[in-house]
Amino acid sequence: MDGNDARLVAGERFTPKFDRAGLLCAIAVDVADDAILMVAYMDQEALAATRDTGVAHFHSRSRQALWKKGETSGNVLHVVEILVDCDQDALILRCRPAGPACHTGARSCFFRRLDSNTLQPVKS
Amino acid sequence: MDGNDARLVAGERFTPKFDRAGLLCAIAVDVADDAILMVAYMDQEALAATRDTGVAHFHSRSRQALWKKGETSGNVLHVVEILVDCDQDALILRCRPAGPACHTGARSCFFRRLDSNTLQPVKS
């Protein structure tokens, strides 16, 4: 562990560590039961918008633009709490979802499991 | 949604989607209670090694090398099940951890929450 890493781990200061593409990983979970809803990426702008509004914003890697989750569908994620990992390059957003988080209409994007080489529905 | 996305979402075929850097995001959770332990990245080699051995392997972005989690510490993650998200660019590894997942000795890397502008320990 180098000095920089030690400061990230031990300090009280929030110094999010964006990768070479300017992104960090954000996992949205439902505050009701901590189920993982979706994973997306945030740049500095998306993180600031999330903190300012209390509603999850991400950076769309395909559109290369700020993405307010649920802007079209109405299925926004109200962020109740943000957890930060040891080296500050990943976040957990504990959310109250306004509706299904997945664009397919599923509650969670993780609705399939890998069974040998095929994908099968997760038992709910 | 384009045709490619539709196939990723609807099919039974596992066709993991690596990003421009050749990586996808993998979230390790404890199969005992689904607590999120850590987040890391996998390239094709790390995913293959994980599936072949049943023990989580990642791609270390800092070292640019295959990383068997716990190789030094012994705190390996035995992968019980892999969940796949809608567009197949993120995985959940449901694991039996052999010990603390975080290099700090914490069970989870997410041991702090953001409280205004400072990081505070998560109540356990």
Side-chain angles (χ1 to χ4, degrees):
Chain A
M1 185 193 299
D2 63 21
N4 186 40
D5 187 27
R7 276 196 299 278
L8 291 171
V9 170
E12 281 195 2
R13 203 167 146 230
F14 181 50
T15 50
K17 199 170 104 190
F18 298 95
D19 68 12
R20 286 176 192 179
L23 301 176
L24 53 71
C25 173
I27 306 166
V29 306
D30 190 328
V31 73
D33 60 0
D34 284 312
I36 298 176
L37 301 176
M38 61 178 287
V39 177
Y41 295 86
M42 286 181 163
D43 59 4
Q44 210 147 17
E45 182 186 22
L47 177 59
T50 300
R51 297 182 72 192
D52 288 349
T53 65
V55 168
H57 289 68
F58 303 104
H59 176 80
S60 167
R61 295 186 297 176
S62 53
R63 289 186 289 110
Q64 287 286 314
L66 184 66
W67 162 34
K68 179 184 170 185
K69 161 70 189 156
E71 180 147 41
T72 310
S73 66
N75 296 329
V76 296
L77 297 168
H78 297 281
V79 179
V80 177
E81 187 173 57
I82 298 179
L83 306 186
V84 182
D85 83 339
C86 51
D87 55 2
Q88 305 203 31
D89 65 357
L91 305 177
I92 295 175
L93 312 177
R94 301 189 70 226
C95 302
R96 275 188 300 103
C102 185
H103 74 288
T104 63
R107 178 194 179 200
S108 164
C109 296
F110 294 91
F111 52 82
R112 295 175 298 185
R113 66 187 172 80
L114 188 54
D115 183 7
S116 301
N117 282 307
T118 66
L119 299 174
Q120 299 298 330
V122 173
K123 287 166 201 141
S124 57
Chain B
M1 187 192 300
D2 62 22
N4 186 40
D5 189 26
R7 276 196 298 279
L8 291 172
V9 170
E12 280 195 4
R13 204 169 144 226
F14 181 50
T15 51
K17 201 169 104 190
F18 298 94
D19 68 12
R20 286 175 192 181
L23 302 175
L24 52 71
C25 174
I27 306 166
V29 306
D30 190 328
V31 73
D33 60 0
D34 284 312
I36 298 176
L37 301 176
M38 61 176 287
V39 178
Y41 295 86
M42 284 181 165
D43 60 3
Q44 210 147 18
E45 182 187 21
L47 178 57
T50 300
R51 296 182 73 193
D52 287 349
T53 64
V55 168
H57 289 69
F58 303 104
H59 176 79
S60 165
R61 295 186 297 177
S62 53
R63 289 185 290 111
Q64 288 284 313
L66 184 67
W67 163 34
K68 178 184 170 185
K69 161 70 188 155
E71 180 148 40
T72 310
S73 65
N75 296 328
V76 297
L77 298 168
H78 297 280
V79 179
V80 176
E81 188 174 54
I82 298 179
L83 306 186
V84 182
D85 83 339
C86 51
D87 54 3
Q88 304 203 31
D89 64 357
L91 305 177
I92 296 176
L93 312 177
R94 302 190 68 226
C95 302
R96 276 189 298 105
C102 185
H103 74 289
T104 62
R107 178 194 179 199
S108 164
C109 295
F110 294 92
F111 52 82
R112 295 174 298 184
R113 66 187 171 78
L114 189 53
D115 182 8
S116 301
N117 282 308
T118 65
L119 299 174
Q120 299 298 331
V122 173
K123 288 164 201 143
S124 56

